[in-house]
Amino acid sequence: MKILVVGSGGREHAIIKKLKENSKIEQIFALPGNGGIAMDATCVNIGAKDIDSIVDFAVENKIDYAVVAPDDPLVLGCVDALEDKGIPCFGPRKNAAIIEGSKAFSKELMKKYGIPTARYEIFDDAEKAYAYVEEVGAPIVVKADGLALGKGVLICSTEDEAKDAIKEIMEDRIFGESGARVVIEEFLEGPEVSVLSFTDGSTVVPMVSSMDHKRALDNDEGLNTGGMGTVAPNPYYTDEIADICMEKIFIPTINAMKKENREFRGCLYFGLMITKDGPKVIEYNCRFGDPETQVVLPLLESDLFTVMRSCTDGTLKKEDVRFRDESACCVVVASSGYPKKYETGYEISFDEDMDAEVYIAGAKKDGDVLKTSGGRVLGVVSTGDDLNEAIEKAYRNVQKVHFENAYCRKDIGQRALKALK
Ligand code: AMP
Ligand code: GLY
């Protein structure tokens, strides 16, 4: 069997390594992949947004199954284009990927179906948005409607900050067309939990929960990043909270999408906040999270390909999806300066006695040498019987990764450990 995976980050590397556990898979192509993924798959230099070339490649190479991992190609309709050529896919079609592609859509969906989320208003006129901010005051959250590389959310502690945010998004268009509309919503407080789920459009199976660390520096200081590390499971996601989420959020969302004729198949990511009034949806993503995937998939006991296939075929209900009762920790090692300006092109080396998984995100091959090519370079992932063991093992192995200008947060998982006490 020949599989194609669209994408190029640590998430895709984790997906590919997990898929390889299935012996029926003979070859995996990564489009475009990266220098590290090249150790586990055949990388083909086709960009993740180049839908026509992806489809041509899949047809020419008689691909049996495609996994479309990033948000951009999903929102652009990559799954539709592949399925139209008879290639089965893991991932939602365009009309369902809109759950991430438009925040206005997802907020209206939640309102219509009574799914708990922050109160909000949608504006396509900046003057009305300013007036609304004056009416409700701060703190308040301003979000660009469309995809903005994960940067379209501005938490504003004063009215002036909120007005500046609206100006930047709607008038200066710092996120381009994504800012034609804004969602302005109530500021919520509480611990955050990421729950990825498998779904075939009717059945939803949550994966083990996880906790992201979005800020660049220790103690959640510094700028927002794509994610500096993760742990799983997330201690704030108790069995009681999980039951509430299933009943009030997960099932209602899947049913709502079906009712709207936007059946969602693939991985639906629930970004949740556990507020004093119960769990609420902060955001939906139409895909696996990065770097959540790097801690969730190593704990998956079932065969990933089989589960993915059942989401495509609508047979998830019959599948026994199991996770190991262990913990995992991912520490992202980045280039100094990330998420702002940083240098690349440094040689990466590993000590021979590493005993952790390494998922490469931003590196390329230069002959036989692996060199840094991105802000987030790689994730070191360890599992253990408990969170303490997983964290300790991950950090022990981070010492065995070497490249100039490397930096990582030193406190991944500490908040989770405190919550356990
Ligand atoms: P997103 O880009 O949608 O993942 O949002 C980035 C981060 O902004 C989230 O992980 C939250 O920490 C924060 N955030 C988003 N919406 C709200 C809200 N309504 N109240 C408080 N924080 C929020
Ligand atoms: N880690 C959050 C995301 O993938 O958007």
Side-chain angles (χ1 to χ4, degrees), residues 19 179 182 270 339:
L19 284 171
V182 293
F270 298 90

Side-chain angles (χ1 to χ4, degrees), residues 4 29 31 44 46 53-61 63:
L4 177 162
F29 294 96
L31 278 58
V44 181
I46 293 176
S53 302
I54 293 170
V55 173
D56 288 347
F57 178 86
V59 171
E60 274 165 31
N61 290 278
I63 294 297

Side-chain angles (χ1 to χ4, degrees), residues 348-416:
I348 307 169
S349 65
F350 304 97
D351 290 351
E352 266 174 25
D353 61 345
M354 270 195 83
D355 59 343
E357 277 289 356
V358 175
Y359 299 122
I360 306 283
K364 62 174 180 227
K365 271 281 184 61
D366 183 358
D368 279 342
V369 179
L370 196 60
K371 290 187 172 172
T372 63
S373 68
R376 290 189 299 171
V377 175
L378 54 85
V380 175
V381 177
S382 290
T383 57
D385 288 338
D386 60 24
L387 207 49
N388 248 319
E389 189 185 326
I391 294 168
E392 194 271 322
K393 201 169 153 199
Y395 275 104
R396 193 159 18 95
N397 280 283
V398 164
Q399 305 294 324
K400 301 177 182 179
V401 176
H402 311 281
F403 60 88
E404 226 170 284
N405 268 342
Y407 95 94
C408 67
R409 274 181 61 162
K410 303 285 186 278
D411 66 341
I412 300 301
Q414 292 306 316
R415 204 155 21 96

Side-chain angles (χ1 to χ4, degrees), residues 39-287:
M39 293 182 279
D40 292 289
T42 309
C43 294
V44 181
N45 193 14
I46 293 176
K49 291 198 263 185
D50 186 355
I51 310 288
D52 290 343
S53 302
I54 293 170
V55 173
D56 288 347
F57 178 86
V59 171
E60 274 165 31
N61 290 278
K62 301 196 168 58
I63 294 297
D64 298 293
Y65 191 71
V67 178
V68 182
D71 47 0
D72 278 320
L74 289 166
V75 170
L76 289 169
C78 190
V79 167
D80 309 50
L82 287 164
E83 285 184 350
D84 289 350
K85 296 285 183 192
I87 296 161
C89 295
F90 184 81
R93 291 174 74 91
K94 185 178 181 174
N95 72 349
I98 191 176
I99 200 165
E100 174 170 4
S102 166
K103 294 196 195 298
F105 170 85
S106 68
K107 295 298 288 189
E108 299 285 55
L109 185 86
M110 288 186 268
K111 187 190 261 180
K112 182 169 172 187
Y113 292 91
I115 297 163
T117 188
R119 269 179 287 129
Y120 71 98
E121 292 290 335
I122 298 169
F123 297 94
D124 48 24
D125 173 341
E127 291 307 321
K128 288 188 180 147
Y130 295 135
Y132 179 71
V133 165
E134 280 174 15
E135 182 192 322
V136 297
I140 197 152
V141 183
V142 181
K143 301 184 173 185
D145 175 45
L147 294 181
L149 294 169
K151 298 192 187 103
V153 174
L154 299 165
I155 314 281
C156 307
S157 46
T158 64
E159 273 181 40
D160 282 343
E161 260 181 54
K163 286 182 184 170
D164 285 344
I166 294 165
K167 179 176 177 294
E168 285 182 352
I169 295 175
M170 299 190 85
E171 298 188 34
D172 306 342
R173 291 291 167 96
I174 58 167
F175 304 120
E177 279 314 295
S178 289
R181 276 197 291 187
V182 293
V183 173
I184 301 185
E185 67 178 37
E186 171 195 12
F187 175 75
L188 296 178
E189 282 176 285
E192 287 184 58
V193 180
S194 305
V195 179
L196 320 187
S197 70
F198 290 111
T199 175
D200 64 358
S202 301
T203 298
V204 56
V205 177
M207 302 181 216
V208 61
S209 62
S210 53
M211 181 190 284
D212 195 1
H213 297 69
K214 285 195 192 205
R215 301 291 205 97
L217 307 174
D218 287 3
N219 301 314
D220 294 322
E221 286 170 11
L223 294 170
N224 246 324
T225 71
M228 294 301 294
T230 35
V231 292
N234 184 324
Y236 290 104
Y237 192 70
T238 59
D239 289 347
E240 187 197 356
I241 297 282
D243 288 345
I244 298 172
C245 289
M246 194 68 185
E247 186 198 338
K248 298 213 183 299
I249 296 174
F250 304 160
I251 293 173
T253 302
I254 297 303
N255 288 344
M257 290 298 277
K258 199 171 180 180
K259 201 124 186 240
E260 298 289 317
N261 287 317
R262 295 176 184 274
E263 192 170 87
F264 190 105
R265 290 166 190 250
C267 174
L268 183 55
Y269 167 129
F270 298 90
L272 306 168
M273 198 173 269
I274 316 300
T275 73
K276 60 177 172 24
D277 303 320
K280 294 190 179 181
V281 177
I282 289 284
E283 61 161 350
Y284 293 114
N285 290 327
C286 65
R287 52 172 174 87

